[in-house]
Amino acid sequence: QVTKSIECLLPLPQIRNPNDPRRKDLKELEAIKKAIDQKSHSLVRRELQAGLGYMILQTALFMRLTFWELTWTLWSQYVFMSHLYTSWPVTPFLLRTSKEPSFEGFYQSRFESKQRKLMEAQNFDVERYDELKKLFYPKPSSAVVSKIIGSIQN
């Protein structure tokens, strides 16, 4: 545990060779990941827009039936139960993800799900991508740690 913490704090060796073939692999993986992220984003936006459209249509229909056609005493039970059944899918989402019940929390959960499915469909090697990213883009905290160590030594 302690060694892993120290490894995270120590700066990784910088790769000075700009012609390293692994750099080309990283660029290719970054391009694939960017395409996957864009597709995931568009799928999630379409899904959320369809859900919002459904809710607006349902509310408008109930308002129309309640206030223009029939009385509230007749439709109140139907409106209550339909909105209750519409909100039930939120409960398993909250229990499964433990995220905040906001648009951003729901969006992030759906985005990660779509992204994971697209990565599996395209056989995207996440471990290789993470390994190359750590190799070529060290954590910014390592520079901060170097400054702290340098100021302590002086």
Side-chain angles (χ1 to χ4, degrees), residues 56-71 75 79:
I56 289 171
L57 203 69
Q58 179 183 10
T59 303
L61 175 70
F62 285 144
M63 285 178 66
R64 169 81 173 126
L65 290 173
T66 301
F67 297 115
W68 281 288
E69 300 293 329
L70 303 170
T71 64
W75 275 97
V79 171

Side-chain angles (χ1 to χ4, degrees), residues 71-88:
T71 64
W72 175 249
T73 55
L74 178 66
W75 275 97
S76 63
Q77 296 85 16
Y78 295 113
V79 171
F80 173 76
M81 292 305 289
S82 65
H83 283 288
L84 183 67
Y85 291 143
T86 305
S87 64
W88 276 7

Side-chain angles (χ1 to χ4, degrees), residues 95-121:
L95 292 174
R96 188 179 41 133
T97 62
S98 299
K99 291 195 177 188
E100 59 189 46
S102 67
F103 174 79
E104 190 62 37
F106 190 67
Y107 174 85
Q108 194 62 33
S109 173
R110 297 302 303 150
F111 179 80
E112 290 168 1
S113 174
K114 299 280 184 195
Q115 185 184 42
R116 188 173 41 256
K117 286 179 183 179
L118 287 172
M119 284 181 175
E120 288 173 4

Side-chain angles (χ1 to χ4, degrees), residues 40-55:
S40 299
H41 175 72
S42 67
L43 288 172
V44 171
R45 281 196 56 91
R46 196 173 312 140
E47 184 178 294
L48 292 177
Q49 287 171 349
L52 178 64
Y54 171 75
M55 295 289 285

Side-chain angles (χ1 to χ4, degrees), residues 12-27 30 128-139:
L12 297 172
Q14 296 290 327
I15 297 175
R16 303 286 182 209
N17 185 3
N19 297 327
D20 192 341
R22 295 176 293 184
R23 192 176 295 271
K24 182 181 175 190
D25 290 344
L26 179 62
K27 295 281 187 205
E30 283 177 339
R128 175 80 174 147
Y129 174 74
D130 290 339
E131 174 188 318
L132 290 173
K133 197 171 173 186
K134 284 180 186 176
L135 187 64
F136 288 105
Y137 306 126
K139 290 183 179 179

